[in-house]
Amino acid sequence: MASKSSLPEEDLTCPVCFDIFKDPVVLLCSHSFCKDCLQKFWREKKSKECPVCRRQSSLGDPPLNLSLRNVCESFLKEKSQRASRGSEVLCSLHGERLKLFCLEDKQPVCLVCQASRKHSRHQFLPIDEAALDYKEQLKAVLKPLQKKLDEFEEVKKTCDKTASHIKVQAHQSEKQIKEEFEKLHQFLKDEEEARIRALKEEEEQKSLIMKEKIEEMSKEMSTLSDTITAIKKQMVAEDIIFLQNFKAIESSTCTLQKPQEVSGALIDVAKHLGNLRFRVWEKMKDIVQFTPVLLDPNTAHPSFIISEDLTSLKVTYPRQRLPDNPERFHFSQCVLGSEGFNSGSHYWDVEVGDSPYWCVGVTTESNQWKGISFWERVWRVGYGSSFIGPEHLLEQNLHTLRVHLDLDEGQLSFSDALQNTHLHTFKHTFTEKVLPFFYSFSSPLCILPLKPLHNN
């Protein structure tokens, strides 16, 4: 289509601002200028002369050049239309507008493509309808992606708390180690330094693990956020652009794995502090007390305060703010021993005092303690407690309970340590590691030390 203006663009340009005329006025010398450009020129020159031929003008307010203004407006409108047509996406094969969307090939096509053999018997939708349908489809995809992002955020929060708690554990453990070694003589200094070094190495190792886990979470969250942002950006793009990029968008919405919590991330406090004096005694050939079972603070219910030597617990309210690590009890006030047994004969004494509601026993390492079904695999004796699973309730309370686990014989026996009277025996063949188990509702429990010879 021919242009409505037969004039070249340079004839429509103001000789002052070198742009298309705006509100052009004409002088008696027949030269035209933008009204504002001419007035500015006259103010600066302080003379009403033509900017082209320098002829003095007798008109203080030159008339508008209406015909030139109309030509300029038509020129600008046509130029805008040409630019708009130039940005339109056309079929790469036929040069026609893309008006349809092929449902089989999932791509925009023109009317010529629709009639071609390549798309024979294919189904089509108008571009706007197809874009609406697939945008709705992506809305459904965005919801689980956002849910995944929320899950990552929650796990990252737990990782952040765990990383902070590692520092606290390391600090407290270091303090306790130093206090223990201060009770010994100077010739034990080498042993102290060795244990501090082991603690530092574990702190560094586990802090590094958590740092990498947090960085991994941050990367996953960043990737997921970028994907969501990209999808949202594409969804507000023009339909043609959106549908052309749909395959790439769809492939970017692959299902992500659920964020995994880090198990075993906390400092193994029992390894550094457990039986510390006994191990030193083996080197010193001196007499120290030995506790056959230690409590694992990483499994302790948040209402439990575990003693520094890991041999006793007391109940406190409100509960402590501790990391929600996978090993920790939350549904019941329980704690496990720090080490399990695969074979042999083992026993430990537990002082229950006047506790009105307790149970002590063993459980298997694979037992999952995230629900009530956990009790089905806890072999125990208790007083005042009543749960499902293998439990023997005492009719009368006692002060000290002795637990004897004989894995070779497949027996778990309980007795009154002070009266030396048998209470109950479970017969069961354990095929996996067995962990000491402790439950208390309101009162403290304490694992009593044994003489070293009892450890033989």
Side-chain angles (χ1 to χ4, degrees), residues 4 29 31 51 64 68 81 86 89 123 126 147 161 166-167 194-195 210 245 260 288 305 316 330 364 366 426 450:
K4 293 181 181 179
C29 60
H31 292 128
L64 289 174
L68 180 59
Q81 290 175 346
V89 180
Q123 292 184 333
K147 184 178 180 181
K161 291 180 181 178
I166 287 174
K167 297 294 185 182
R195 294 193 176 276
M210 291 311 306
N245 297 330
Q260 299 295 318
V288 295
I305 294 180
T316 181
H330 280 278
T364 53
S366 64
F426 291 103
L450 300 178

Side-chain angles (χ1 to χ4, degrees), residues 341-346 404-412 428-430 434:
F341 308 108
N342 287 310
S343 60
S345 178
H346 313 272
H404 183 199
L405 174 65
D406 192 334
L407 292 170
D408 297 334
E409 295 295 330
Q411 290 186 353
L412 175 64
H428 183 82
T429 301
F430 293 97
V434 178

Side-chain angles (χ1 to χ4, degrees), residues 175-185 192:
K175 178 176 178 290
Q176 290 173 231
I177 290 173
K178 289 183 176 180
E179 289 175 353
E180 290 292 330
F181 275 93
E182 285 173 0
K183 299 173 184 177
L184 305 175
H185 297 288
E192 178 186 6

Side-chain angles (χ1 to χ4, degrees), residues 198-214:
L199 173 65
K200 289 295 186 181
E201 288 175 355
E202 183 172 1
E203 178 192 1
E204 180 179 353
Q205 177 188 6
K206 293 192 172 179
S207 295
L208 178 60
I209 291 174
M210 291 311 306
K211 179 180 178 183
E212 292 174 350
K213 182 65 176 178
I214 292 171

Side-chain angles (χ1 to χ4, degrees), residues 49 59 64 79 95 97 99 161 276 292 344 348 386 419 434:
E49 61 181 35
L59 300 175
L64 289 174
K79 185 177 181 181
R97 289 184 61 193
K99 296 184 176 181
K161 291 180 181 178
L276 182 59
W348 55 96
S386 181
Q419 302 296 327
V434 178

